[in-house]
Amino acid sequence: MTKPLLISDFHSKRGQLPHIEDPGATYFVTMCLIRPAPLDLTQAKIGQIILGALRHYDRMRYYLFDYTIMPDHTHMILKPISTGRAAYHLQRILQDLKRWTARQINATVGRRGEVWQVEGFDHIVRNREDYEEKAHYIFWNPQKAGLTDEPALWPWWGRGSGAHL
């Protein structure tokens, strides 16, 4: 089980994209499949794996707000849990989500190899307006991509416990 890190353990990380972490921050995150995409995340069995993982860690390592699963990527808004002097590290949360879902997806579809891109996109949600903009994007993304006429009926969109805080 991953343990929270001390607040003093947080730092900025730079790969191809900068990743700045701020204990107590809320993040808009995108996890993308490797290219070319080896599968469709919205297939029922695969979508359930991702959804199950997102919900499993909700209230355990983070508070999950809005999310949507698209054919080749997943968007979410989450806030890592911090208690006193310790907090869960966003990059560790994402690494664990990717590792677990990749194993489960590969076992389910009978394949081997990488599933997720190593680096994802993360953005610190700065205020209520920023949150509403990102939540709006998440909600309408399936319709904009031509996957549904009614976003509220998209089976891979929802809200976690954070929407009720």
Side-chain angles (χ1 to χ4, degrees), residues 25 44 69-70 78 84 112 114 126 131 140 160 164:
I69 301 168
M70 302 292 288
L78 58 83
R112 296 175 65 114
E114 298 295 317
R126 291 174 177 79
Y131 168 80
W140 291 101
H164 308 294

Side-chain angles (χ1 to χ4, degrees), residues 13-112:
K13 177 182 170 243
R14 187 161 189 83
Q16 295 296 320
L17 300 170
H19 300 282
I20 300 171
E21 292 197 44
D22 181 8
T26 300
Y27 298 89
F28 169 70
V29 177
T30 303
M31 297 186 332
C32 298
L33 288 177
I34 59 170
R35 300 281 186 237
L39 42 89
D40 181 347
L41 299 176
T42 61
Q43 290 177 345
K45 288 181 180 180
I46 297 171
Q48 286 297 334
I49 291 168
I50 297 167
L51 189 55
L54 290 175
R55 288 182 177 162
H56 175 77
Y57 291 117
D58 188 15
R59 295 186 190 177
M60 186 185 308
R61 294 188 187 175
Y62 53 76
Y63 296 111
L64 180 62
F65 291 83
D66 301 77
Y67 62 85
T68 194
I69 301 168
M70 302 292 288
D72 65 349
H73 64 281
T74 299
H75 296 296
M76 66 197 89
I77 299 173
L78 58 83
K79 180 178 182 172
I81 291 175
S82 63
T83 55
R85 297 179 49 213
Y88 284 98
H89 195 292
L90 177 67
Q91 295 308 316
R92 176 67 59 83
I93 289 169
L94 298 178
Q95 180 183 35
D96 289 349
L97 277 170
K98 288 177 184 179
R99 182 183 310 118
W100 191 86
T101 56
R103 283 187 198 135
Q104 297 302 312
I105 289 168
N106 280 340
T108 298
V109 301
R111 70 177 294 276
R112 296 175 65 114

Side-chain angles (χ1 to χ4, degrees), residues 101-143:
T101 56
R103 283 187 198 135
Q104 297 302 312
I105 289 168
N106 280 340
T108 298
V109 301
R111 70 177 294 276
R112 296 175 65 114
E114 298 295 317
V115 172
W116 300 103
Q117 291 180 13
V118 173
E119 250 186 312
F121 172 80
D122 54 80
H123 165 84
I124 294 176
V125 177
R126 291 174 177 79
N127 53 39
R128 183 70 186 178
E129 181 181 346
D130 196 17
Y131 168 80
E132 288 174 3
E133 176 187 313
K134 300 303 185 257
H136 182 268
Y137 179 84
I138 286 171
F139 180 76
W140 291 101
N141 196 221
Q143 184 186 50

